[in-house]
Amino acid sequence: RIAQLALGPNQAEVQQKLQSARGPVLTAVRDTESREIFVGLNTGLPEKLTGVIEKAIEAHKANIRAGKVKVVLTGRKAVGGHSDVNALNRAIRVRESRTRRAVTENEMGTFEMHSVWLSAIQGFPAAARCEHCTGITQGVSVTNSVLVAELNVAGGVVGETTVPQRGSVTQAGG
């Protein structure tokens, strides 16, 4: 429903502009403190990264170099440019502006995430995070349908990672 509301009658136009071979993904992130919802698309690395996202991207790149992540997606938008990171970065930026302080890694669980494929013929099925988005968005709560989508993909996500989970995994919607 969020995907339909976010795209409205412009869905075909947005999908054509994104030109993703696997189909663009839309992610909605809810700030559980303010109850605000932020939407992101696969539009590339955000222009203004928050500190916590920038650190997560650098840590993820270090894990790739150390061989802790089996890289499947290698496109220019793959590391940090997917909808998951775009929506989360926007949510964090707005919270930081509202609270006048930086969001920490320990607060990632106060955001909940739901991602859907926009290329599906019927409906908007939940989309598993790729190996990059999983590493960058660690600690964020995901909806049950995203969790199921990730469990149904070999290795738990698209690609594989042996990096330990930061924080705790919690069910979203509470």
Side-chain angles (χ1 to χ4, degrees):
R1 176 146 161 70
I2 290 172
Q4 290 170 322
L5 292 173
L7 294 177
N10 299 325
Q11 179 181 353
E13 181 183 330
V14 170
Q15 287 177 272
Q16 184 178 8
K17 286 182 181 176
L18 293 177
Q19 297 177 353
S20 174
R22 299 197 58 213
V25 173
L26 179 143
T27 297
V29 169
R30 183 172 68 105
D31 181 333
T32 62
E33 290 183 2
S34 70
R35 307 297 239 183
E36 291 178 274
I37 294 176
F38 304 87
V39 175
L41 295 166
N42 293 3
T43 53
L45 195 65
E47 287 183 26
K48 186 177 178 188
L49 290 172
T50 60
V52 70
I53 293 293
E54 186 172 16
K55 287 177 189 172
I57 289 172
E58 291 309 313
H60 181 68
K61 288 178 180 179
N63 287 328
I64 291 171
R65 288 189 298 273
K68 296 179 180 180
V69 178
K70 180 181 175 186
V71 176
V72 174
L73 299 177
T74 59
R76 65 180 176 84
K77 293 180 186 177
V79 180
H82 286 163
S83 61
D84 319 62
V85 175
N86 278 286
L88 182 60
N89 189 72
R90 187 172 297 122
I92 292 169
R93 197 172 13 154
V94 169
R95 182 188 288 177
E96 289 178 343
S97 177
R98 187 181 74 247
T99 63
R100 295 188 179 118
R101 65 171 189 77
V103 169
T104 67
E105 186 178 299
N106 293 336
E107 296 173 277
M108 295 299 265
T110 63
F111 297 95
E112 76 179 11
M113 178 180 293
H114 181 73
S115 298
V116 294
W117 289 106
L118 297 177
S119 60
I121 294 170
Q122 275 192 331
F124 298 96
R129 292 173 290 175
C130 74
E131 69 274 16
H132 305 297
C133 292
T134 299
I136 296 165
T137 66
Q138 280 186 6
V140 173
S141 297
V142 298
T143 60
N144 283 341
S145 51
V146 169
L147 181 60
V148 168
E150 291 180 354
L151 293 174
N152 286 332
V153 174
V157 295
V158 179
E160 296 176 21
T161 180
T162 59
V163 179
Q165 172 71 30
R166 292 191 306 259
S168 60
V169 177
T170 57
Q171 179 178 342

